[in-house]
């Protein structure tokens, strides 16, 4: 019997578990560890709460988790409750599928000011991540600035612009819904260092802005390249740019007397965040493109703002004794191999790139490498060895059946029109699972 430990229960983790079962069938046991008592990683706390169809992929992971080969081991922190070296002693292979849950720093003066957030924190706040449930952003100023030109920036803008009624069917947590209902934001500025042809926004997400009941997306026509140049773009990007052209022409968006303007400010690089104790303004430098790169022109201006959300990317959490690639914010690895018996997959391997589905071939690829490196089982104790260690250390971990109790409690607590009301505190999750929280 082969014994594999996967650290991280998000898409990369469960796709890798699925691949291991396909590779070895009943001759493998897989323990999927997570520091939270709940599985599915960014599907639960990263995907926008109003994108329930995307969250539906968790049903596939449930099918994998429900097999006899796979066990969920929640509420266990690797590096604290158990070390990597201990896991390597217990399992034939240890695979780090921890994702990239931390915000990349802006590296700007003033980013430490109050009401300046990274997108992992801000998205975690409205998605109910226990680390960020107490974030309490102030939404009392009329202008918010979002830094970045990817889909996460669009998610944040859309959530800030939606009316209360438009959250019907979503699983946004109640504390965020209440705060957004009292928001005074009427202007959302999305800053992009480069131009419309360099965005990482997909057509579906851009198109959603045109159908919000009170949002009015705006693009300065002067920022758009000659339309003839669109023909050279790949089809998805061309569709996205078509949306921007429609916004510039004034088509799409709400027809209301009290709109929330969503302004796309291209060729605009943030240079400093200004304020006394909390953000009051953001200084921006106008840029131009040189060989596809944004170069500052020296022309600066300021945007008064009471909230700044930086959507510029993520980095992996360090784990003691695991080599780390500081430049790329991921574990140091060669095509997924970190050290003998130690591997990484997904964003922990390649950085925060690709879609949720990109993790599936990544998971199958890493299992193929493990099969090459480990043609025969090493005879390690696997889950029986971890059971002995957990008992010795009084680690009362959360099983998948415990998670199902948590899930049922969240469904039972749901407000009208919502699929669930997430617990945002770990002790409440443990209590709902029927565990001792004393």
């Amino acid at each position: 019997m082969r014994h594999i430990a996967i650290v991280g229960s998000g898409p990369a983790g469960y796709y890798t578990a699925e691949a291991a079962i396909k590779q070895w069938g009943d001759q493998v046991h897989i323990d999927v560890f997570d520091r939270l008592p709940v599985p599915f990683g960014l599907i639960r706390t990263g995907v926008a709460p109003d994108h329930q169809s995307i969250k539906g992929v968790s049903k596939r992971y449930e099918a994998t988790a429900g097999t006899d080969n796979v066990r969920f081991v929640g509420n266990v922190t690797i590096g604290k409750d158990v070390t990597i070296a201990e896991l390597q002693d217990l399992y034939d292979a240890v695979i780090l599928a921890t994702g990239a849950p931390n915000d990349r720093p802006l590296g700007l003066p003033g980013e430490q000011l109050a009401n300046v957030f990274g997108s992992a924190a801000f998205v975690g706040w409205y998605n109910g991540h226990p680390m960020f449930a107490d974030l309490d952003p102030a939404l009392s100023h009329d202008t918010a600035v979002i830094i970045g030109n990817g889909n996460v920036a669009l998610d944040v803008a859309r959530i800030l612009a939606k009316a209360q009624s438009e959250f019907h069917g979503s699983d946004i947590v109640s504390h965020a819904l209440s705060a957004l209902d009292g928001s005074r934001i009427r202007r959302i500025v999305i800053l992009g260092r480069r131009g419309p042809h360099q965005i990482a926004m997909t057509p579906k997400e851009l198109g959603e802005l045109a159908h919000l009941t009170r949002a009015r997306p705006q693009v300065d026509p002067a920022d758009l390249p000659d339309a003839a140049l669109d023909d050279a773009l790949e089809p998805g990007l061309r569709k996205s740019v078509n949306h921007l052209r429609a916004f510039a022409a004034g088509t799409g968006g709400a027809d209301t007397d009290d709109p929330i303007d969503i302004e796309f400010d291209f060729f605009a690089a943030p240079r400093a965040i200004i304020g006394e104790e909390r953000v009051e303004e953001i200084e921006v430098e106008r840029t131009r493109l040189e060989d596809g790169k944004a170069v500052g022109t020296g022309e600066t201006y300021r945007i008064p703002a009471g909230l700044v959300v930086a959507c510029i990317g993520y980095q992996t959490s360090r784990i003691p004794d695991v080599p780390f690639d500081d430049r790329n914010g991921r574990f140091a690895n060669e095509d997924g191999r970190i050290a003998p018996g130690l591997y990484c997959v997904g964003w922990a391997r390649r950085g925060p790139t690709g879609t949720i589905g990109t993790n599936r071939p990544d998971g199958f690829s890493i299992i193929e490498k493990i099969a090459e490196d480990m043609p025969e089982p090493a005879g390690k104790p696997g889950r029986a060895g971890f059971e002995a260690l957990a008992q010795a250390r009084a680690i009362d971990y959360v099983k998948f059946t415990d998670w199902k109790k948590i899930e049922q409690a969240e469904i039972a607590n749901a407000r009208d029109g919502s699929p669930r009301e997430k617990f945002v505190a770990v002790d409440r999750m443990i209590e709902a699972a029927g565990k001792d929280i004393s």
Side-chain angles (χ1 to χ4, degrees):
M1 182 68 68
R2 289 168 173 80
H3 297 283
I4 293 179
I6 298 175
V7 182
S9 69
Y14 274 115
Y15 280 130
T16 303
E18 177 187 331
I21 293 171
K22 288 186 180 295
Q23 178 72 36
W24 293 298
D26 291 337
Q27 300 304 306
V28 64
H29 278 164
I30 305 148
D31 283 353
V32 180
F33 291 84
D34 203 292
R35 63 177 175 171
L36 290 178
V38 293
F40 307 142
L42 65 80
I43 299 299
R44 177 179 170 93
T45 58
V47 172
D50 55 348
H51 283 175
Q52 289 296 304
S53 60
I54 297 175
K55 290 174 180 277
V57 73
S58 64
K59 297 298 182 184
R60 178 173 187 151
Y61 309 147
E62 283 202 19
T64 300
T67 66
D68 293 336
N69 308 66
V70 179
R71 181 177 67 165
F72 177 64
V73 186
N75 203 36
V76 175
T77 301
I78 305 304
K80 178 184 176 184
D81 296 320
V82 58
T83 68
I84 284 291
E86 288 170 331
L87 287 182
Q88 288 187 275
D89 287 340
L90 295 173
Y91 297 88
D92 297 296
V94 177
I95 306 168
L96 305 181
T98 53
N102 302 318
D103 284 302
R104 281 180 51 199
L106 275 167
L108 296 179
E111 68 177 300
Q112 79 288 347
L113 289 170
N115 241 37
V116 178
F117 305 105
S119 55
F122 195 77
V123 170
W125 167 72
Y126 61 66
N127 258 331
H129 194 296
M131 285 182 60
F132 306 115
D134 296 330
L135 206 67
D136 195 24
L139 308 177
S140 53
H141 194 283
D142 64 357
T143 300
V145 172
I146 299 170
I147 301 171
N149 266 185
N151 279 346
V152 178
L154 290 179
D155 286 344
V156 173
R158 189 180 67 254
I159 295 299
L160 288 174
K162 275 195 165 187
Q164 186 93 348
S165 60
E166 291 178 290
F167 287 106
H168 184 86
S170 81
D171 64 352
I172 188 169
V173 291
S174 290
H175 68 246
L177 190 62
S178 177
L180 290 165
D181 191 41
S183 171
R184 297 177 60 186
I185 294 171
R186 285 296 176 270
R187 181 190 183 207
I188 301 167
V189 182
I190 302 176
L191 296 181
R193 293 180 301 111
R194 298 187 294 170
H197 278 190
Q198 289 75 41
I199 60 172
M201 299 168 172
T202 50
K204 178 181 180 296
E205 280 67 24
L206 267 171
E208 285 182 87
L209 297 184
H211 301 289
L212 300 181
T213 61
R214 60 180 187 176
R216 186 170 59 187
Q218 299 180 353
V219 173
D220 185 344
D223 285 341
L224 291 164
D226 189 289
L229 299 177
D230 292 357
D231 294 338
L233 302 176
E234 59 89 13
L237 180 54
R238 187 162 61 247
K239 290 179 182 177
S240 293
V241 173
N242 284 342
H243 283 303
L244 297 177
R245 292 192 183 280
F247 298 159
T251 58
D255 182 15
T256 174
D257 293 332
D258 186 25
I260 295 179
D261 291 323
I262 301 177
E263 302 174 15
F264 290 83
D265 194 359
F266 294 109
F267 305 106
R271 292 294 180 241
I273 299 170
I274 300 162
E276 291 296 326
E277 295 182 355
R278 58 179 282 177
V279 57
E280 298 171 12
E281 295 179 307
I282 182 165
E283 184 174 276
V284 181
E285 182 179 13
R286 188 60 66 198
T287 65
R288 65 174 181 273
L289 288 182
E290 291 186 4
D291 297 324
K293 294 183 179 180
V295 177
T297 64
E299 177 191 350
T300 62
Y301 57 98
R302 291 187 177 187
I303 303 172
L307 171 69
V308 173
V309 182
C311 307
I312 61 168
Y314 308 106
Q315 54 190 9
T316 297
S317 297
R318 296 173 182 270
I319 296 177
D321 302 321
V322 179
F324 197 79
D325 178 353
D326 290 290
R327 180 177 180 181
N328 294 302
R330 64 190 184 192
F331 295 118
N333 72 94
E334 291 189 14
D335 205 19
R337 293 181 173 98
I338 300 174
L342 183 62
Y343 305 83
C344 55
V345 70
W347 284 7
R349 178 187 74 81
R350 67 182 188 270
T353 60
T355 64
I356 290 169
T358 308
N359 292 292
R360 186 175 186 273
D362 209 24
F364 277 75
S365 174
I366 206 67
I367 290 300
E368 289 175 1
K369 291 179 176 63
I370 293 172
E372 294 171 8
D373 298 344
M374 185 185 67
E376 296 295 331
K380 294 186 178 182
R383 64 176 57 171
F386 177 75
E387 285 289 346
L389 184 147
Q391 186 173 2
R393 294 184 183 171
I395 300 173
D396 188 14
Y397 62 88
V398 172
K399 303 181 181 72
F400 202 78
T401 51
D402 298 322
W403 146 244
K404 296 302 288 184
K405 294 177 185 176
I406 298 170
E407 182 183 42
Q408 288 305 311
E410 291 184 338
I411 293 171
N413 292 338
R415 65 184 177 273
D416 289 344
S418 177
R420 67 190 62 81
E421 181 61 46
K422 297 176 193 170
F423 293 113
V424 299
V426 168
D427 59 351
R428 293 293 309 281
M429 297 174 186
I430 298 297
E431 184 178 23
K435 298 281 188 178
D436 185 4
I437 60 173
S438 60

